[in-house]
Amino acid sequence: MVHADASKFAANITKKETYTQVLEQAETLFDGQRNWLLILVFSNLANAASLIWHAQKSMSYPSNQNNWAGFYVVDPVNEKQLILGPFMGKVACQTIAFGQGVCGKAAQAKETIVVPDVNSFPGHIACDRDTNSEIVVPILLKDKVIGVIDCDSAVANTFDSEDRKYLEKLADLLSLACNW
Amino acid sequence: MVHADASKFAANITKKETYTQVLEQAETLFDGQRNWLLILVFSNLANAASLIWHAQKSMSYPSNQNNWAGFYVVDPVNEKQLILGPFMGKVACQTIAFGQGVCGKAAQAKETIVVPDVNSFPGHIACDRDTNSEIVVPILLKDKVIGVIDCDSAVANTFDSEDRKYLEKLADLLSLACNW
């Protein structure tokens, strides 16, 4: 299978089936890429962002209204700051302090935050005015936050308990598959 | 200006005007992000990939048929190997040896390669069967290759001397703006 085929998702499958394919493809892609180099962690995250993006785009409305999917990682020098990682979508904020916006709050709380309407979220950082809902899932390694998965949508109420469940599984996989 | 606005390009401007905006936005985005950390280089490359992708998508046919835009960086441990960096598009090959495919050949030769038809390019690596033309521009630091810009298109003969000229300017900017 050529690599790009990993981004192909059938249009008529359920959210569960789509995310299950994401997890299987991710596991295959990361296999043998475990390495002490941060550069290979980023390489895995780049392909993972592509998988999430194309999976959500293949889902039914409103999931296919996603407009950003990617990662912020904890700054190794300032552990209370997130730095922009690989992503799909429009240009994004390069640094986010712990506690700021949805990403910073999820990183600080070590808990997933689902935001049905970002305009009602206190302290939301508007990287893109087109964004209306968001989910941020922390990636934990031995109870320490090492980064977050961040997905935005142009439509309110896009992300539900199923997105949460499978993106948390992906966060676990990334935590195990990469030597952070 | 919110960050996502950097990805907005008017539809009725020339390729020259579009790429000039890419260079200006890139310079602004990278300003103050110069840092010894590899993680910040990757952060700059993530936003740069987004800029290139949206710039080309805003251009007229065939430029808007681009299907991958991003980076491969030289492996710090094995300097004859490229590792996948941030990108926009479908899942991609994670490592490419110097001399292999268009990316590996451009890295080895330290010269831009424009490929009008990838199917006629000896040793082309088919990460995506939908790709028909490609441009790879090496990023040089003091005559040493540190990475490449890679752009693919679903249509043959997409990339011309103007793409080459401005992507080479972007490579120079990235070389100067990031502490590799």
Side-chain angles (χ1 to χ4, degrees):
Chain A
M1 188 182 82
V2 299
H3 279 77
D5 289 348
S7 312
K8 284 182 188 155
F9 296 88
N12 56 348
I13 59 177
T14 64
K15 192 179 265 197
K16 180 184 171 181
E17 288 168 324
T18 308
Y19 274 126
T20 301
Q21 187 181 328
V22 167
L23 293 171
E24 286 169 2
Q25 300 284 16
E27 204 153 14
T28 308
L29 284 165
F30 304 161
D31 189 38
Q33 297 292 342
R34 189 181 177 85
N35 197 301
W36 59 272
L37 282 174
L38 187 65
I39 201 170
L40 273 179
V41 173
F42 268 77
S43 192
N44 282 338
L45 296 185
N47 268 338
S50 177
L51 276 175
I52 299 169
W53 175 264
H54 289 97
Q56 293 176 347
K57 278 273 173 254
S58 80
M59 294 175 188
S60 55
Y61 186 91
S63 298
N64 58 8
Q65 300 302 301
N66 66 327
N67 64 350
W68 204 92
F71 297 91
Y72 280 88
V73 292
V74 174
D75 183 341
V77 170
N78 173 3
E79 295 202 346
K80 292 294 168 201
Q81 176 170 281
L82 295 164
I83 295 182
L84 178 65
F87 67 91
M88 304 280 132
K90 288 184 188 159
V91 166
C93 312
Q94 212 131 0
T95 57
I96 297 175
F98 269 50
Q100 277 193 349
V102 188
C103 286
K105 283 199 169 61
Q108 193 169 52
K110 298 178 190 173
E111 275 184 14
T112 297
I113 301 181
V114 179
V115 185
D117 175 7
V118 295
N119 302 304
S120 307
F121 189 86
H124 167 65
I125 303 167
C127 266
D128 184 354
R129 278 183 292 256
D130 291 341
T131 296
N132 277 296
S133 60
E134 183 169 6
I135 183 171
V136 179
V137 176
I139 305 170
L140 302 174
L141 186 66
K142 294 175 187 161
D143 200 40
K144 203 177 147 186
V145 179
I146 46 181
V148 300
I149 304 174
D150 181 15
C151 300
D152 293 343
S153 167
V155 169
N157 299 300
T158 292
F159 304 104
D160 61 17
S161 58
E162 254 190 321
D163 295 289
R164 179 186 185 131
K165 176 179 163 187
Y166 287 101
L167 291 175
E168 286 179 350
K169 280 180 193 276
L170 181 63
D172 288 346
L173 179 65
L174 285 163
S175 169
L176 291 170
C178 307
N179 277 354
W180 293 79
Chain B
M1 188 181 82
V2 299
H3 279 76
D5 289 349
S7 312
K8 284 182 189 157
F9 297 88
N12 55 348
I13 59 177
T14 64
K15 192 180 265 197
K16 180 183 169 181
E17 288 168 324
T18 308
Y19 275 125
T20 301
Q21 188 181 328
V22 167
L23 293 171
E24 286 169 3
Q25 300 284 14
E27 204 153 14
T28 308
L29 284 166
F30 304 160
D31 189 38
Q33 297 292 342
R34 190 182 177 85
N35 196 300
W36 58 272
L37 282 174
L38 188 64
I39 201 170
L40 274 179
V41 173
F42 269 77
S43 192
N44 282 339
L45 296 185
N47 268 338
S50 178
L51 276 175
I52 299 169
W53 175 264
H54 289 96
Q56 292 176 349
K57 278 275 173 254
S58 79
M59 294 175 188
S60 55
Y61 186 92
S63 297
N64 58 9
Q65 299 302 301
N66 66 326
N67 63 350
W68 203 93
F71 297 91
Y72 280 88
V73 292
V74 174
D75 183 341
V77 170
N78 173 2
E79 293 202 347
K80 292 294 168 201
Q81 175 170 279
L82 295 164
I83 294 182
L84 177 65
F87 67 90
M88 304 280 132
K90 289 184 186 158
V91 166
C93 312
Q94 211 130 359
T95 57
I96 297 175
F98 269 49
Q100 277 193 351
V102 188
C103 285
K105 284 199 168 62
Q108 192 170 55
K110 297 179 190 171
E111 275 183 14
T112 297
I113 302 181
V114 179
V115 185
D117 175 8
V118 295
N119 303 303
S120 307
F121 189 87
H124 167 65
I125 304 168
C127 267
D128 184 353
R129 278 183 292 257
D130 291 342
T131 296
N132 277 296
S133 61
E134 185 170 6
I135 183 171
V136 179
V137 177
I139 306 170
L140 301 174
L141 185 67
K142 293 175 189 162
D143 201 40
K144 204 176 146 185
V145 179
I146 46 180
V148 301
I149 304 173
D150 182 16
C151 301
D152 294 343
S153 168
V155 170
N157 299 300
T158 291
F159 304 104
D160 61 17
S161 58
E162 254 189 322
D163 296 289
R164 178 186 185 131
K165 176 179 162 187
Y166 287 102
L167 291 175
E168 287 180 348
K169 280 180 193 277
L170 181 63
D172 288 346
L173 180 63
L174 285 164
S175 170
L176 291 170
C178 308
N179 276 354
W180 294 80

